[in-house]
Amino acid sequence: MPTLPGRPAPYRRWPFVVLYGLCAVLALVGCVPATLRTPAPDTAATTAPEAPLTTVSPSRVSFMVFGDPAELKAYQTIVDAFEAQNSDIDVELIHVPSQGDYRKRLGADLAAGTAADVVLLNYRRVAPFAANGGLVSLNPYLAASDTVNRSAFYPETLAAFTWKDNTWCLPQNLSSLVVYYNRDLFKAAGVPEPTADWTWDDFLTTAQALTRDTDGDGAIDQYGLGTEVSFLRLAPFVWQNGGEIVDNPNRPSVLTLDMPESYAAFQWFVDLQTKHHVVPNAVAEEAQDSESRFLNGATAMFLQSRRIVPTLRESAAFDWDVAPLPRGKQAATVLHSDGYCMTSTTKNADAAWRLIEFANSPEGQTIVAGTGRTVPSIKSVAESPAFLDPNTKPAHAQVWLDALPYLHNMPIAATWMDVESIVDSELERAYYGQATVDEAIQAAQTRAQEFLGGQ
């Protein structure tokens, strides 16, 4: 059972009887330490300085993360700061760039009992790992902490990491989906930059104006928009159109993509490629993915969360900023949040908690916010110059905080990632013209049903 914070593991002490017996043996050869014998009269006690009986080595804790090299630097920054203040703990930072590879490794490591002590997980993936016994509930640690307080967090973030009355991870981030845009391309084309109240029609018109054959060879060289083709990207447009993705977000038992408002949003999203051609087709996406295309200056707008900011700051050769998602019938966006979690295989729960606790203290979140990686989940940090610095890109970071009233999260259920995977595959078929919207929705709902049931 893990020792609660503030209670270091006891030092090992030799039983007195063993020490006494050892001293008796040493006395026979004249090696009894001066502190344990009385010198003979008129004889100076000449003994070597005592060596300590025990040497305390630093505790070791492993911390596994995913992301590109610029994101890795952000985590290295927090590790360095933690170690500077906790000289008794050494942190091993493990980096797996691909999220897919990361999840596979985490699953395999948990099964083998060799998982890192602290891991990074998106809230949508917490319930599956918790259901399989892979995570430690942080409820008792939070209750005992003088450093981290539930009331300091935006409630939306803690709620997303809570399943079956247990908070399984502490959220580092309160991000949401926004539109990144290349200001240089907008200026060159004479296209107005996005406004806070732009609509789906404005968004499409902008994307069309910025999709161009720049060399006149009949092939598109510059796309107006790039996006991941996924349920996570589709969902906010469903909500914006007044639709729902499931019948009950807290206990999903059926997908509702066939309700009229959801269906229309699905069709609108698919039309961006099949009808309007403002995003790459399957061949172009395979040749160069949309994120790389945006980073290389060949796409005008890109849908993404906060995580790409460190990379843009480090490598973008163009001026850029962020804007909110366009509005449909109503404003809506989707939560993107990763959290620090303690695995059930940890051999050093106290050290693991201390790392999680530091990373989610105001000091820790301020450090990571400075790298650009996060929208802090602690209110005092998110609303401070540590995050809202107009002299640091993106200039309009307030966009993320303005989206809070319209923030939705994906359902939290043990089998939800199976559902997402199915919808992703069917959405992709429709998006690239391999199936109609009707066919994709019906297939998604039929295939997903075995993983739903009001969990």
Side-chain angles (χ1 to χ4, degrees):
M1 189 169 187
T3 306
L4 288 179
R7 299 184 182 178
Y11 292 101
R12 296 182 179 275
R13 295 185 175 87
W14 287 3
F16 179 78
V17 65
V18 174
L19 181 61
Y20 182 85
L22 176 60
C23 290
V25 173
L26 291 174
L28 295 176
V29 293
C31 297
V32 180
T35 54
L36 296 179
R37 62 184 173 85
T38 303
D42 302 323
T43 302
T46 55
T47 59
E50 290 183 60
L53 292 177
T54 52
T55 300
V56 180
S57 299
S59 297
R60 303 190 70 84
V61 61
S62 51
F63 175 32
M64 192 165 78
V65 301
F66 55 83
D68 60 31
E71 291 181 84
L72 174 61
K73 289 181 182 178
Y75 297 119
Q76 187 63 62
T77 300
I78 196 69
V79 167
D80 291 343
F82 173 76
E83 289 184 331
Q85 295 189 26
N86 296 269
S87 58
D88 59 325
I89 299 177
D90 286 337
V91 179
E92 177 191 5
L93 184 59
I94 304 167
H95 178 228
V96 182
S98 162
Q99 288 197 48
D101 292 342
Y102 178 92
R103 293 191 296 272
K104 290 176 185 176
R105 173 166 176 177
L106 179 56
D109 287 353
L110 284 170
T114 58
D117 301 293
V118 178
V119 297
L120 197 67
L121 280 177
N122 186 276
Y123 73 94
R124 294 150 41 240
R125 305 183 188 282
V126 167
F129 282 105
N132 290 327
L135 302 179
V136 173
S137 170
L138 298 184
N139 281 8
Y141 293 92
L142 276 166
S145 179
D146 294 324
T147 303
V148 178
N149 191 298
R150 287 182 181 272
S151 63
F153 291 86
Y154 288 103
E156 295 88 347
T157 54
L158 281 180
F161 287 94
T162 300
W163 182 66
K164 294 195 172 179
D165 299 323
N166 285 281
T167 299
W168 297 98
C169 313
L170 286 192
Q172 53 136 240
N173 204 6
L174 179 68
S175 186
S176 54
L177 192 63
V178 299
V179 179
Y180 288 80
Y181 64 98
N182 184 322
R183 298 188 71 210
D184 291 345
L185 294 183
F186 273 70
K187 289 177 183 176
V191 175
E193 293 186 21
T195 62
D197 59 350
W198 65 332
T199 66
W200 284 13
D201 288 342
D202 298 330
F203 179 68
L204 177 57
T205 299
T206 299
Q208 289 173 322
L210 290 162
T211 299
R212 309 180 71 183
D213 171 11
T214 58
D215 58 11
D217 67 352
I220 296 174
D221 306 295
Q222 175 186 299
Y223 286 93
L225 176 67
T227 182
E228 173 187 280
V229 184
S230 69
F231 199 5
L232 190 63
R233 295 291 184 267
L234 170 64
F237 297 106
V238 171
W239 295 319
Q240 286 187 9
N241 204 43
E244 295 292 344
I245 61 173
V246 292
D247 58 333
N248 184 338
N250 297 316
R251 295 179 63 83
S253 63
V254 65
L255 288 174
T256 54
L257 295 174
D258 59 349
M259 68 182 289
E261 297 85 356
S262 305
Y263 183 101
F266 197 116
Q267 184 70 65
W268 178 86
F269 189 85
V270 166
D271 283 348
L272 293 172
Q273 198 291 120
T274 59
K275 180 178 180 181
H276 303 298
H277 311 297
V278 296
V279 293
N281 61 22
V283 174
E285 187 71 21
E286 180 67 24
Q288 184 178 37
D289 65 82
S290 284
E291 181 168 322
S292 299
R293 199 180 291 272
F294 180 72
L295 291 170
N296 293 335
T299 294
M301 298 184 291
F302 183 58
L303 304 184
Q304 185 54 280
S305 67
R306 180 76 183 190
R307 75 160 190 84
I308 198 176
V309 167
T311 302
L312 282 167
R313 286 183 182 176
E314 185 175 278
S315 61
F318 54 87
D319 192 11
W320 58 277
D321 206 345
V322 295
L325 290 181
R327 291 171 178 254
K329 295 177 182 177
Q330 59 196 24
T333 187
V334 62
L335 175 67
H336 285 250
S337 184
D338 299 318
Y340 300 98
C341 320
M342 187 191 305
T343 62
S344 58
T345 60
T346 182
K347 302 298 190 297
N348 198 341
D350 287 344
W353 168 249
R354 283 169 61 185
L355 175 59
I356 293 171
E357 186 178 44
F358 176 80
N360 286 283
S361 67
E363 179 183 0
Q365 288 215 355
T366 297
I367 291 169
V368 178
T371 70
R373 172 61 181 84
T374 61
V375 180
S377 56
I378 292 179
K379 290 177 279 190
S380 62
V381 181
E383 296 165 13
S384 78
F387 177 66
L388 298 175
D389 181 357
N391 298 313
T392 303
K393 290 183 178 181
H396 291 91
Q398 182 69 39
V399 162
W400 277 284
L401 302 187
D402 290 343
L404 281 172
Y406 318 112
L407 194 61
H408 297 241
N409 59 263
M410 300 296 273
I412 301 164
T415 57
W416 179 251
M417 293 316 300
D418 296 292
V419 175
E420 275 200 30
S421 178
I422 289 168
V423 177
D424 287 352
S425 65
E426 295 301 333
L427 174 61
E428 187 172 300
R429 285 203 311 135
Y431 191 84
Y432 291 126
Q434 299 159 0
T436 65
V437 167
D438 272 332
E439 291 168 342
I441 288 177
Q442 290 306 313
Q445 298 201 157
T446 300
R447 293 176 58 201
Q449 195 55 50
E450 68 173 293
F451 299 105
L452 294 167
Q455 308 161 65

